[in-house]
Amino acid sequence: MDFVLPGDLEELGAEAREVGLAAAKRADVPEDSWIVGHDRQFAQELAQRGWLGMTWPVEHGGGGRSALERFVVFEALISAGAPVAAAWFADRQMGPSMLQFGTDEQRARWLPGIVAGTSMWCIGMSEPDAGSNVAGVRTRAVPDPGGDGWRVTGQKIWTSGANDADWCYAVCRTDLDAPPHQGLSDLVIDMSAPGITVQPIVDVTGNRHFCEVFFEDVPVPADHLVGELNGSFRQIMRQMEHERGGIDRLVSNRRLYEDVLPLADTGDPLVRQEIAALETGYRIGRLLVLRETLGQGPKQFSAATKTFCTELEQRVADFCGRVLGPAATLNDPSVLDDLARRVSRNICYAPAYTIMGGTTQILRNILGERTLGLPR
Ligand SMILES: Cc1cc2nc3c(=O)[nH]c(=O)nc-3n(C[C@H](O)[C@H](O)[C@H](O)COP(=O)(O)OP(=O)(O)OC[C@H]3O[C@@H](n4cnc5c(N)ncnc54)[C@H](O)[C@@H]3O)c2cc1C
């Protein structure tokens, strides 16, 4: 085992860091840039550098590069605060799902736009009564009486980026009589289709990145079904592995930590201990992510990786708050300097880390039951 990255990867990381720092200047805040940093122009810049679809096979328009190269690039970009959100969801999970479960025709239709950074995707999984319990999805797709496709009716919620997305990768109920987790299918829905209403939700930081999405008899062509009819549950669980085990779950507020650290009172032994614990946690988290990246983690272990990494991100937010002191409790741009505003925003945002992509409680259940084999 050699934990040192080869020189060419170090260089690639340094290049991505520079690109990321420059792009971060265009964003409102550098934190959480993979989810709130929507910048379509930057998505195209990433494409021009060959940093989208990096690991996908060349015959499908990808870069054919190694998983480690992609890891290095996105660790550097997201740590720097680069606004990658417009490209991130598709690059992280829809593309891989399409490669694994889609048809050649679907890959030819959708992957080039993702690799070019010109098509933006959102994930339509959660519903008002179906968050942790995906099997509770009620948005239904029924055969279109006037054609060979589907008609979709229902509501999604917390759909990140839906207000700017071109496509929604949606989990829909296609068999109303089957047991709950056996009647679901993955459909790609054109967000410009008639019958779709998107209503942004203002989060506690004032941001409007996630949305309610209402579908009213929305037409969806038959060939927009990805993978197996009524086979979504297995496919989505696979997709969640991509969503949970990546570097984005570790470095969302790394830039904030780097900017706050010089202000910490390192003469105080308790502060020093805290920094040592955070730095150790960061290195452990990075190794866990690297194991996922290389496909060497036990099955479903991304649940543990995400839990560990996102709880660390929350500790980083707490630490930054303590360093800044009372100023960090006021999210009022008029009275705060930029760093205090960012810290205060991140304290408000941090609870989301252990909710989105599966809550920590659910992930601990998965870990206990499926990885450790504990009784239910
Ligand atoms: C910032 C952000 C972005 C998001 N983006 C998206 C997106 O793009 N697309 C999308 O589809 N969804 C998205 N979500 C939704 C997210 O996936 C859900 O919020 C999450 O899965 C939890 O579902 P819920 O909110 O319905 O909570 P619930 O499932 O109602 O859970 C409420 C509480 O009960 C606990 N709980 C529930 N069941 C159990 C159990 N069996 N055992 C122990 N505890 C349990 C949970 O841990 C939680 O603490 C996003 C959420 C956030 C915060």
Side-chain angles (χ1 to χ4, degrees):
M1 276 188 292
D2 183 357
F3 290 108
V4 178
L5 291 174
D8 54 338
L9 286 191
E10 296 284 3
E11 276 171 32
L12 182 62
E15 181 192 344
R17 171 84 182 172
E18 242 176 72
V19 171
L21 287 173
K25 291 190 184 136
R26 304 209 297 254
D28 179 35
V29 284
E31 285 67 57
D32 309 304
S33 65
W34 63 267
I35 187 161
V36 302
H38 286 269
D39 183 333
R40 279 184 179 253
Q41 192 192 325
F42 187 60
Q44 288 177 39
E45 279 178 49
L46 292 175
Q48 279 152 17
R49 289 178 180 276
W51 289 350
L52 296 180
M54 273 180 89
T55 61
W56 304 351
V58 176
E59 65 266 30
H60 295 305
R65 295 170 75 175
S66 72
L68 267 184
E69 285 175 286
R70 179 176 181 273
F71 169 88
V72 162
V73 165
F74 281 97
E75 178 187 42
L77 287 172
I78 301 172
S79 300
V84 298
W88 184 242
F89 298 106
D91 189 79
R92 178 181 70 181
Q93 59 195 93
M94 281 79 179
S97 275
M98 214 68 81
L99 285 169
Q100 193 173 6
F101 302 113
T103 60
D104 279 344
E105 193 277 330
Q106 288 174 335
R107 293 182 194 118
R109 188 188 319 157
W110 284 311
L111 295 185
I114 298 175
V115 173
T118 50
S119 78
M120 202 191 132
W121 291 62
C122 61
I123 312 159
M125 214 171 336
S126 305
E127 298 185 0
D129 293 315
S132 301
N133 179 22
V134 180
V137 160
R138 285 193 300 195
T139 294
R140 61 183 193 282
V142 294
D144 189 340
D148 62 352
W150 306 90
R151 290 272 169 175
V152 173
T153 300
Q155 184 199 342
K156 298 291 175 183
I157 194 168
W158 317 123
T159 320
S160 298
N163 44 346
D164 197 25
D166 303 303
W167 303 99
C168 179
Y169 192 99
V171 178
C172 300
R173 187 157 296 287
T174 38
D175 186 339
L176 304 180
D177 302 321
H181 61 285
Q182 287 173 17
L184 300 171
S185 301
D186 293 346
L187 293 182
V188 174
I189 302 180
D190 181 344
M191 290 297 281
S192 64
I196 300 181
T197 309
V198 178
Q199 214 161 285
I201 302 169
V202 183
D203 74 14
V204 69
T205 71
N207 191 282
R208 292 164 179 267
H209 84 279
F210 54 24
C211 308
E212 288 179 289
V213 184
F214 300 90
F215 300 97
E216 185 61 52
D217 206 27
V218 176
V220 177
D223 60 2
H224 284 212
L225 169 77
V226 180
E228 216 183 306
L229 179 64
N230 300 320
S232 171
F233 206 76
R234 182 181 67 92
Q235 295 176 191
I236 283 296
M237 290 305 122
R238 184 71 195 93
Q239 193 180 106
M240 297 306 283
E241 295 278 298
H242 298 296
E243 183 172 346
R244 291 173 178 157
I247 192 65
D248 44 330
R249 302 296 183 176
L250 179 66
V251 298
S252 302
N253 54 5
R254 185 73 186 166
R255 177 75 190 275
L256 188 67
Y257 173 76
E258 288 170 4
D259 290 348
V260 165
L261 196 55
L263 304 179
D265 177 7
T266 49
D268 181 334
L270 293 177
V271 174
R272 281 206 303 274
Q273 277 176 27
E274 202 174 352
I275 294 170
L278 291 177
E279 291 288 352
T280 308
Y282 180 73
R283 282 157 181 75
I284 294 170
R286 193 168 184 268
L287 289 178
L288 291 175
V289 173
L290 270 169
R291 197 165 65 154
E292 303 287 344
T293 302
L294 296 172
Q296 294 173 2
K299 208 162 171 256
Q300 305 262 11
F301 198 77
S302 64
T305 301
K306 191 214 167 222
T307 298
F308 182 88
C309 293
T310 53
E311 288 184 351
L312 185 81
E313 289 178 324
Q314 287 178 337
R315 283 163 54 205
V316 166
D318 287 351
F319 170 78
C320 293
R322 278 195 297 281
V323 171
L324 265 274
T329 60
L330 300 169
N331 193 355
D332 180 350
S334 63
V335 295
L336 296 178
D337 68 22
D338 192 49
L339 189 57
R341 177 178 74 95
R342 285 168 52 201
V343 171
S344 129
R345 179 206 158 277
N346 196 235
I347 290 171
C348 293
Y349 189 83
Y353 294 144
T354 53
I355 298 174
M356 55 181 154
T359 70
T360 282
Q361 291 77 17
I362 295 295
L363 299 184
R364 284 204 157 95
N365 283 350
I366 292 175
L367 187 63
E369 290 166 13
R370 297 187 209 159
T371 308
L372 300 176
L374 300 175
R376 289 171 72 93

